[in-house]
Amino acid sequence: MTVYEGTSATRPDRRFGRAARRHVDLLTNSGSLMGTTVVTSVLGFAYWWVAARAFPADVVGSASAAVSALTLVGTLSMFGMGTLLISELPRLPDPARRWNFIVTCLLVATTAAAAGGLIYVGLARFAIPGLRHSIGSWPMTLMLLLGVVVTATTLVLDDGLLGLMSGPLQLLRNTYFALIKLALLGALAFVPLAVGPGHLLATWVAGALLSVLLLTLSLRRRGLSAAVRPDRSMLRGRLVQALEHNALNLALFVPRTVQPLVVAAVISPAATAAFYTMYMIFSFVTMLPNNLATTLFAAAAGNMTALRAKVRMALLLSVGLGVPASVVLALVARPVMGLFGPDYANLAGTALSILALTYSALLFRPLYFAIARVRGRVPRASVFAVIAGLAELGAAWYGGSHDGLTGLALWLAGVWVLQGLYTAPAVLGVALRRPDAWKHAAGRHRA
């Protein structure tokens, strides 16, 4: 090698290029997840915009409540199957066995979703009158049950595709879903009949079903056999692991879902709308470490020696891209919120700036949970997630009741900084550990 060649090989852009080629799986699949977020957000906004323009407000309100219900119940009904697929698929070398395992987990999720949907319908119809508008007439109720099952199934299927490191396929399915439901909604606006919430819900469920059908046709063209069948024996010894992952998923999912209810309880409905919008904007920044962490888990599952390099790349991207974006968001937070109206800027402009400045601490949290999953320390991570979730809800309640959304953001930011101080040493310890020491640790883990 000449002096010039040796010098060129050490240039930062060349080093980064080599690193990108080594971690193409991480970059491709995390990019697909971010693409899914962008596509579903943009086309989802278009869907509800068309609905609001074309149909009465009470119809759209009941349909949106039903969609929220099927999304919540479907997510809870995954029963840890999606995370189990991400964890176990890399350990199965036979492609046919991988698809047998995916179909088996889909069957479990479908069964759990059917049971969860029936429980929700029973509660909504007979025990909680305030939820009756989300189930409507009996035809709409049946459509809601089907939607719960389809939602759980598609979410598990997406995780299975990620476990196969086929992120572009889950992006394709979600793009099909977003486009089809929007097209069906547009067609519904020209149908000469009295449109009810059940019709809007039908466009959502039909879009999900057709997206799975189109994805199946794509997979068949790629060589997927029609003879793939579930194999319940593949769940032996894995159900406990699935329950552990499900407990962690719930500990992470529930507190973030409950936060808007806390805002509504202690501040006002107007503040709830501003908080929801603020959090949606902030989520576009935090989706980078979140999606990288999900892909990190898929890429490093069953291969602990690859964990260190994947964590370093995820940290590099989260810091190099996310930190500048969060600083910019903190500076322009008030004008951005002002795009939704002056009340939004007054209520949440300062709060969004505060949350944006906590990104540097918050980026370690999703990587910490991904590392815990890879290293088989899910129960310990679940305990931390429960404590962290309760602290977030307590901070939101106390801060919001004393100083509105600004107080809520300050107290929430304090909790997030403490979480960063707790999770950063674990993440940095993996990223900075010497390769030989990590191989020794991996050997102990396998033993």
Side-chain angles (χ1 to χ4, degrees), residues 3 8 45 59 70 131 140 149 160 195 221-222 247 265 296 309 311 320 337 342 351 354 362 379 395 411 445:
V3 173
S8 298
F45 175 84
V59 172
L70 69 86
L131 295 178
M140 181 175 171
V149 172
V195 175
R221 288 195 296 267
R222 293 167 181 249
L296 168 68
V311 170
M337 292 302 300
I354 294 170
L362 197 61
W411 280 86
H445 178 81

Side-chain angles (χ1 to χ4, degrees), residues 56-78:
D58 58 338
V59 172
V60 177
S62 296
S64 63
V67 169
S68 297
L70 69 86
T71 302
L72 175 61
V73 179
T75 301
L76 295 177
S77 301
M78 291 174 67

Side-chain angles (χ1 to χ4, degrees), residues 205-280:
V205 177
L209 286 171
L210 290 174
S211 72
V212 174
L213 176 61
L214 292 175
L215 177 67
T216 302
L217 294 176
S218 298
L219 291 172
R220 291 280 175 83
R221 288 195 296 267
R222 293 167 181 249
L224 176 65
S225 173
V228 174
R229 296 289 184 271
D231 184 357
R232 288 178 294 179
S233 65
M234 300 187 73
L235 292 176
R236 291 195 192 115
R238 293 187 170 108
L239 284 179
V240 173
Q241 182 183 357
L243 292 175
E244 290 177 350
H245 283 300
N246 192 49
L248 178 54
N249 293 341
L250 292 178
L252 295 173
F253 174 74
V254 173
R256 301 294 171 91
T257 307
V258 174
Q259 277 184 5
L261 301 179
V262 173
V263 176
V266 301
I267 309 180
S268 68
T272 305
F275 174 82
Y276 188 85
T277 304
M278 172 187 72
Y279 214 88
M280 178 184 66

Side-chain angles (χ1 to χ4, degrees), residues 17 27 33 56 64 74 83 94 147 164 177 244 267 291 297 327 341 369:
L27 299 176
L33 286 175
S64 63
T83 314
D94 184 3
L164 294 174
F177 173 45
E244 290 177 350
I267 309 180
N291 290 334
F297 175 39
V327 172
F369 289 117

Side-chain angles (χ1 to χ4, degrees), residues 312-342:
R312 293 182 70 176
M313 176 57 71
L315 272 176
L316 176 64
L317 293 173
S318 297
V319 173
L321 299 178
V323 170
S326 65
V327 172
V328 171
L329 178 60
L331 294 175
V332 301
R334 192 174 184 86
V336 168
M337 292 302 300
L339 296 175
F340 297 88

Side-chain angles (χ1 to χ4, degrees), residues 73-88:
V73 179
T75 301
L76 295 177
S77 301
M78 291 174 67
F79 211 63
M81 291 295 107
T83 314
L84 182 65
L85 285 173
I86 295 176
S87 174
E88 294 298 311

